[in-house]
Amino acid sequence: MKIAIASDHGGFELKEKIIAYFKTKNIPLDDLGTHSADSVDYPDYAHKMAHYILNKKADLGILICGTGVGISIAANRHKGIRAALLYNKFVAEMAKKHNNANIIVFGGRTMRFEEVVSYIETFLNTSFEGGRHQTRLDKLDKE
């Protein structure tokens, strides 16, 4: 699975920690920015990630802003994107099992690194159930 990651300035520190964590697992991440804690606009990184996923340059995206809310709203404006803000293990499991999220989202100012890693691991170790859930997902992009 190919994974990409991006953040605004509010998520920069957490993004760097996640990249370092994945390096210890020998899993490369495509880093789409930002590359410093200087102020930037989260929609720019949400749109960049959405296009990256939709163009099949990665199978999964990880987005981070201060709370995770703004960047997930921006990403979900793209047809075909299912960005889920993961804030506990149950939500991480359901985001994959029932929603087959293609972008997972975190709050750099609201979540601890250890929690985020556990949510990522839960998400990655869960399988999409398909069936009635796929039928529901198909309805998302009809309009």
Side-chain angles (χ1 to χ4, degrees), residues 67-126:
T67 64
V69 175
I71 208 162
S72 63
I73 290 170
N76 278 317
R77 293 198 176 229
H78 296 265
K79 189 178 268 192
I81 292 299
R82 295 174 308 280
L85 176 58
L86 307 186
Y87 54 88
N88 65 38
K89 285 187 177 186
F90 178 73
V91 170
E93 181 183 355
M94 291 299 109
K96 181 61 174 255
K97 194 181 269 191
H98 290 185
N99 305 117
N100 202 22
N102 50 15
I103 297 176
I104 56 177
V105 184
F106 303 102
R109 295 178 177 150
T110 60
M111 298 178 177
R112 291 183 304 111
F113 170 70
E114 296 78 16
E115 294 172 323
V116 169
V117 167
S118 73
Y119 306 156
I120 292 171
E121 293 295 337
T122 298
F123 183 87
L124 292 176
N125 291 312
T126 302

Side-chain angles (χ1 to χ4, degrees), residues 3-103:
I3 304 172
I5 190 166
S7 73
D8 71 355
H9 57 283
F12 175 72
E13 183 179 328
L14 180 57
K15 178 180 73 81
E16 294 301 300
K17 289 179 180 178
I18 293 169
I19 290 169
Y21 171 78
F22 273 88
K23 278 185 184 174
T24 69
K25 302 263 187 197
N26 292 319
I27 300 171
L29 296 179
D30 291 347
D31 185 355
L32 306 184
T34 190
H35 300 291
S36 77
D38 296 340
S39 184
V40 295
D41 297 331
Y42 65 82
D44 297 338
Y45 293 89
H47 298 320
K48 187 174 186 178
M49 178 65 75
H51 291 294
Y52 209 76
I53 296 296
L54 293 171
N55 289 318
K56 302 191 185 311
K57 293 180 179 178
D59 304 301
L60 175 67
I62 300 172
L63 284 174
I64 311 157
C65 70
T67 64
V69 175
I71 208 162
S72 63
I73 290 170
N76 278 317
R77 293 198 176 229
H78 296 265
K79 189 178 268 192
I81 292 299
R82 295 174 308 280
L85 176 58
L86 307 186
Y87 54 88
N88 65 38
K89 285 187 177 186
F90 178 73
V91 170
E93 181 183 355
M94 291 299 109
K96 181 61 174 255
K97 194 181 269 191
H98 290 185
N99 305 117
N100 202 22
N102 50 15
I103 297 176

